[in-house]
Amino acid sequence: MTDVAMRDQPARRTMDAGRAAVLSRFRTFDAVFGGLTLAAAVFVLVLLGSVIVSLIIGSMPAFRAFGLGFLTSQVWNPNDDVYGALGAIYGTIVTSVIAMAIAIPVGLGIAVFLSELCPFALRKPIGMAIELLAGIPSIIYGIWGLFIFAPFVQSYVEPPLIAVLGPIPGIGALFQGPPYGIGVLTAGIILGIMVLPFISSVSRDVFATVPPVLKEAGYGLGCTTWEVVKNIVIPFSRTGVIGGVMLALGRALGETMAVTFVIGNAHRISASVLSPGTTISAAIANEFTEAVGDLYTSSLIALGLILFVITFIVLAIARYMLLRIQRRAGV
């Protein structure tokens, strides 16, 4: 061994030791990072499980007392300690359907306008204005709906609906009765306005992911803007659009304060959407602080469990739809 090689051996040992220390430090950081992410995932599962267990335990007295009749009865009488969830379930579903019937076409129309038709200088201001709607607290929507929008609906919306659609057989049953202003229809419209930013913002973002070359090819073949949107933009981004719609639907199902102000809070089922009603979240918010007795409290907790199940079913259906779309696309 030469003198040069002997002199290089301590330097090599020092370099090898430094590399080993660096690798050991990286392994330690990776182990800590993996442990933290695993703890976060487990925490979410534990939190979700604890919520489910607490709801089930809290609702057991109500289901023991009323059985499945709790789900099929619309009687809600705290004086006699008799409770049924059907009226609240019906109101939750109907208001959400009305909200989505309004928000989906309007939200998609806004997204198409912003991504395809709007002048570039106006896209950001209009987009920010739409997104600002999502930042307004729900109680502000409720106050506005009670003092401004409900009187407007009572005076200028419901009377024409009653006069024009009320006499029509079948559909007329939805628009019969006096114009209260406060009712299921008003609550559904308010919900539609509230969830509109979710659909429009998500749809606009996913529309922006469509490769420009696809749209240019459509225009090059002589397609109109409508044909490009219908045959290229929406099919390419439908997974994201469905995700935004389901996100908005989840918000509509669980909205509380705005609905409480304008729905009328009546535990009954009426064929007319002009009549007062209630939703699960509105009933809980209205009556939980006044609940006296274990059965009353348990019935309200049971309403929360039902809302949880409805939301879970909606999300499961959305996930199934997305999986089918991905399979068709060959993903």
Side-chain angles (χ1 to χ4, degrees):
M1 184 178 294
T2 63
D3 295 340
V4 176
M6 294 178 63
R7 287 195 299 268
D8 288 344
Q9 284 183 353
R12 291 176 180 175
R13 294 193 188 97
T14 302
M15 292 176 61
D16 292 341
R19 290 172 181 171
V22 171
L23 293 175
S24 176
R25 186 165 62 251
F26 285 166
R27 285 193 294 267
T28 302
F29 287 159
D30 284 345
V32 172
F33 178 74
L36 290 175
T37 54
L38 176 61
V42 172
F43 173 75
V44 172
L45 295 177
V46 171
L47 182 62
L48 179 61
S50 63
V51 170
I52 296 173
V53 171
S54 62
L55 288 175
I56 293 175
I57 294 174
S59 61
M60 286 307 296
F63 285 110
R64 288 197 196 99
F66 307 111
L68 293 179
F70 183 77
L71 301 175
T72 59
S73 173
Q74 59 176 310
V75 177
W76 189 273
N77 190 348
N79 294 327
D80 297 333
D81 244 7
V82 178
Y83 306 99
L86 187 59
I89 295 173
Y90 173 82
T92 300
I93 295 174
V94 172
T95 54
S96 298
V97 169
I98 294 173
M100 302 313 294
I102 295 172
I104 290 176
V106 176
L108 291 179
I110 292 173
V112 170
F113 174 74
L114 291 177
S115 61
E116 304 295 330
L117 302 173
C118 182
F120 186 79
L122 297 178
R123 289 184 181 182
K124 185 171 290 186
I126 296 177
M128 291 179 61
I130 296 298
E131 293 173 356
L132 184 62
L133 292 175
I136 300 176
S138 60
I139 194 169
I140 302 300
Y141 279 108
I143 294 174
W144 171 76
L146 179 63
F147 293 105
I148 305 297
F149 188 68
F152 173 81
V153 171
Q154 182 183 22
S155 301
Y156 300 104
V157 177
E158 292 183 350
L161 289 177
I162 295 171
V164 176
L165 301 179
I168 300 177
I171 194 175
L174 298 174
F175 304 98
Q176 292 181 352
Y180 293 106
I182 299 294
V184 174
L185 178 63
T186 304
I189 296 174
I190 295 290
L191 280 179
I193 297 172
M194 292 182 67
V195 303
L196 179 63
F198 296 94
I199 297 177
S200 61
S201 298
V202 173
S203 299
R204 181 194 61 183
D205 292 338
V206 297
F207 287 167
T209 64
V210 179
V213 65
L214 295 180
K215 294 188 287 186
E216 291 171 1
Y219 288 122
L221 292 173
C223 296
T224 63
T225 302
W226 161 247
E227 290 173 332
V228 169
V229 171
K230 182 183 70 171
N231 299 319
I232 297 176
V233 175
I234 292 180
F236 186 88
S237 56
R238 56 188 172 186
T239 300
V241 172
I242 292 175
V245 169
M246 291 304 168
L247 177 65
L249 179 57
R251 171 70 187 274
L253 289 170
E255 178 54 42
T256 303
M257 293 310 301
V259 175
T260 304
F261 274 81
V262 299
I263 198 170
N265 303 304
H267 285 270
R268 67 169 182 263
I269 296 177
S270 175
S272 176
V273 296
L274 309 182
S275 300
T278 191
T279 64
I280 294 175
S281 55
I284 295 173
N286 269 328
E287 304 183 32
F288 205 88
T289 56
E290 302 174 359
V292 178
D294 294 337
L295 189 57
Y296 195 177
T297 303
S298 177
S299 298
L300 293 174
I301 296 175
L303 288 179
L305 177 62
I306 294 170
L307 181 59
F308 183 91
V309 172
I310 293 174
T311 306
F312 177 80
I313 292 173
V314 169
L315 294 178
I317 294 174
R319 186 61 181 173
Y320 175 73
M321 293 173 60
L322 294 177
L323 287 176
R324 290 197 61 180
I325 291 174
Q326 291 174 351
R327 288 174 183 172
R328 290 178 182 176
V331 178

